[in-house]
Amino acid sequence: QVQLVESGGGLVQAGGSLRLSCLASGRTFSSYAMGWFRQAPGKEREFVAAISRSGRSTGYADSVKGRFTISRDNAKNTVYLQMNILKPEDTAVYYCAATLSAYYGGSYYSNYDVWGQGTQVTVSS
């Protein structure tokens, strides 16, 4: 089973940008559909973005559409989340997730069976 390690979080001012990375162990990364989720204090985990095994299909939450971009590099076993025009409400722990069960995992967290430990993103106003 793949293991996931997120990086790239930090503190940024509103309007700024961050790029999160999720490095997967193992040699079967291209077999996994990937997703990004986030969880703010006192709130449930919510979907941010998803990408298919090949990278040809992507999907976004309405709250981040047009500001965030998900991508993957299967040769580097890495999925990325480019976050632009960050807002204070984007503050959360961001989690990378993976599933073997589907070509595209979609927005339901129950579709994913492997999770990273998370990386904190804090956006100051």
Side-chain angles (χ1 to χ4, degrees):
Q1 180 165 289
V2 71
Q3 292 184 318
L4 306 174
V5 178
E6 302 96 335
S7 62
L11 174 64
V12 64
Q13 287 189 331
S17 298
L18 283 174
R19 188 176 81 155
L20 304 184
S21 299
C22 173
L23 177 63
S25 64
R27 291 175 285 183
T28 60
F29 177 68
S30 60
S31 299
Y32 287 83
M34 303 297 295
W36 285 97
F37 290 75
R38 66 187 182 187
Q39 188 166 18
K43 295 188 176 181
E44 293 187 351
R45 192 168 298 192
E46 66 173 357
F47 170 72
V48 175
I51 190 165
S52 62
R53 292 170 180 167
S54 67
R56 293 190 183 96
S57 299
T58 59
Y60 298 92
D62 287 343
S63 59
V64 307
K65 205 171 290 184
R67 299 188 297 123
F68 290 12
T69 303
I70 188 171
S71 62
R72 67 188 295 161
D73 186 338
N74 286 345
K76 295 183 178 179
N77 281 17
T78 303
V79 62
Y80 304 98
L81 185 69
Q82 178 66 44
M83 306 186 295
N84 298 328
I85 317 175
L86 283 160
K87 304 176 181 180
E89 50 263 44
D90 294 319
T91 296
V93 177
Y94 283 70
Y95 297 91
C96 176
T99 180
L100 273 175
S101 304
Y103 173 76
Y104 176 72
S107 62
Y108 292 101
Y109 70 84
S110 59
N111 290 348
Y112 298 85
D113 34 48
V114 183
W115 293 83
Q117 293 299 305
T119 185
Q120 176 70 47
V121 171
T122 303
V123 184
S124 63
S125 57

